[in-house]
Amino acid sequence: MATTPGQGPLTGVRVVELAGIGPGPFAAMLLADLGADVVRVDRPGGTGLAIDTEYDITNRNKRSVIVDLKSPDGPARVLDLAARADILVEGYRPGVAERLGVGPEACHARNPRLVYGRMTGWGQEGPLAHRAGHDIAYIALTGTLGMIGSPDEPPAVPANLVGDYAGGSLYLVVGVLAALHHARATGAGQVVDAAIVDGTSHLAAMIHGMLAAGGWQDRRGANLLDGGCPYYGTYETADGKYMAVGALEPQFYAEFLRLLGIEEHASARKDWSRWGELRAAVAARFKSRTRQEWTAVFEGSDACVAPVLSLREAPHHPHLAARGTFTDHGGITQPAPAPRFSATPTAVRTGPAQPGADTAEVARDWGVPELMKGLE
């Protein structure tokens, strides 16, 4: 189906999202941002951990219907939607969708071309598959959490960005789009098993290679990219804020030392025995001025140094503002859709879908009048 300029490259793709929390809704948001018609099937009473629906921007660019899957006709309503969809996304524990009557077999009986995306932490099989869990436990088992933080402190928790969203949502989206390509070429749908433990492990592919080659030590704060290197890390400034340094290459390192004013330490770059001395010198210099002052010093340089901004500060940075990396919609400042497309640009078209608010519209557009039963 042809796309419509201004709506995104997935215009015409229909997605059913069975409401959940975390990585499933974010994956569906990304598909919606790319132009897909995402219908979120909300449950009566909500999902339990969700924030105020007015502010849940992971539900932007979507439409919502309410279906009680535990009611006698609930599964049939979802199967009616699945019959007209290209992709379905669910995030239940293994076996739950089957017990509810909306598992892959039931959906494929109605629509053999359907891409059935399954989002879980542990995966559809394995000893832990049926156990509860959250992001932090998934990344803990993969070795990823143990890589992050200072060596003399507990591992640092990277919010739920590394597991839920990077290792989970993004891999689900890659998977369902690859499977959609296959379905359109062959007419055959399939099940995509996106497990956070798999995706998060996959993210560390380069580091596993470095570990095997002897170029990475299996402990925190001892390596080039984990804060162990004095010219790749963060430093406190005079006002209690921070600067981030990533001057890895020789030319960037030289520029960094010149602007910092400690060129006498140039030879310490590859001498691990002098890294403690180098780190102390860098830290002392950064402590002598404020973050704003150091930002001005490094402005326009190739020293690979940047201020560490807060979530509220980030949208106002001149570069991000110039690119429109953040946008305001409905009174909420939020990240704009990414990535960008030259022929089919994306946009925040609508605010967070409110549970059930779009039932009549979806019933009409998707040709599923049964959605209105009990609501008329």
Side-chain angles (χ1 to χ4, degrees):
M1 187 177 294
T3 59
T4 303
Q7 296 299 305
L10 293 186
T11 298
V13 173
R14 286 179 169 178
V15 179
V16 174
E17 175 199 352
L18 302 186
I21 60 172
F26 185 83
M29 181 202 78
L30 182 48
L31 295 170
D33 282 355
L34 296 178
D37 180 6
V38 176
V39 171
R40 178 177 166 95
V41 179
D42 278 300
R43 65 189 75 170
T47 57
L49 283 181
I51 64 172
D52 184 331
T53 57
E54 294 284 344
Y55 295 91
D56 189 355
I57 62 173
T58 63
N59 287 328
R60 71 187 185 190
N61 288 339
K62 303 177 183 178
R63 299 191 285 181
S64 169
V65 302
I66 291 180
V67 175
D68 184 358
L69 277 169
K70 295 182 179 178
S71 68
D73 63 348
R77 300 293 79 79
V78 170
L79 293 177
D80 286 342
L81 290 169
R84 294 158 173 80
D86 299 289
I87 297 168
L88 182 145
V89 170
E90 62 94 359
Y92 301 134
R93 290 198 211 185
V96 171
E98 285 83 351
R99 291 198 297 274
L100 291 171
V102 294
E105 187 174 345
C107 288
H108 283 142
R110 294 287 301 276
N111 181 0
R113 301 170 65 93
L114 181 71
V115 172
Y116 195 104
R118 316 199 81 166
M119 182 74 261
T120 61
W122 304 118
Q124 295 299 310
E125 53 193 27
L128 295 177
H130 294 275
R131 297 296 182 192
H134 280 296
D135 174 294
I136 194 168
Y138 308 140
I139 67 173
L141 284 198
T142 65
T144 314
L145 179 61
M147 290 168 41
I148 305 171
S150 301
D152 54 350
E153 296 178 2
V157 181
N160 66 332
L161 301 178
V162 174
D164 278 355
Y165 297 144
S169 306
L170 297 186
Y171 278 85
L172 178 63
V173 169
V174 169
V176 297
L177 292 182
L180 178 63
H181 176 75
H182 175 265
R184 289 186 166 178
T186 66
Q190 60 181 302
V191 177
V192 178
D193 174 7
I196 293 172
V197 291
D198 296 347
T200 305
S201 297
H202 193 261
L203 287 170
M206 181 191 76
I207 292 173
H208 277 281
M210 295 171 69
L211 184 66
W216 188 277
Q217 298 184 59
D218 197 10
R219 55 193 178 92
R220 284 193 304 284
N223 300 284
L224 189 66
L225 303 175
D226 67 355
C229 172
Y231 44 93
Y232 196 90
T234 56
Y235 290 91
E236 189 176 1
T237 54
D239 52 349
K241 297 179 180 179
Y242 291 86
M243 297 294 290
V245 178
L248 291 177
E249 292 83 354
Q251 67 275 28
F252 304 150
Y253 176 75
E255 179 78 344
F256 166 61
L257 293 191
R258 183 182 69 80
L259 291 173
L260 199 62
I262 54 169
E263 291 176 279
E264 66 274 15
H265 291 278
S267 60
R269 179 173 170 271
K270 287 192 171 183
D271 186 349
W272 288 13
S273 68
R274 296 179 58 195
W275 274 13
E277 162 199 330
L278 176 59
R279 185 184 304 280
V282 172
R285 286 293 294 150
F286 273 120
K287 263 292 209 177
S288 69
R289 299 184 188 180
T290 65
R291 187 186 69 179
Q292 184 176 350
E293 289 172 329
W294 281 120
T295 298
V297 168
F298 289 101
E299 186 74 30
S301 77
D302 276 343
C304 301
V305 176
V308 178
L309 302 182
S310 71
L311 290 174
R312 292 192 186 279
E313 289 175 321
H316 303 289
H317 186 275
H319 180 78
L320 303 186
R323 284 185 59 79
T325 298
F326 290 85
T327 188
D328 290 295
H329 190 280
I332 303 174
T333 299
Q334 56 196 282
R340 303 178 187 202
F341 300 86
S342 61
T344 54
T346 56
V348 178
R349 304 182 303 278
T350 61
Q354 299 306 298
D358 310 294
T359 302
E361 191 179 79
V362 172
R364 181 194 69 230
D365 294 350
W366 283 44
V368 187
E370 292 81 2
L371 283 174
M372 294 301 294
K373 286 185 178 177
L375 299 178
E376 296 168 329

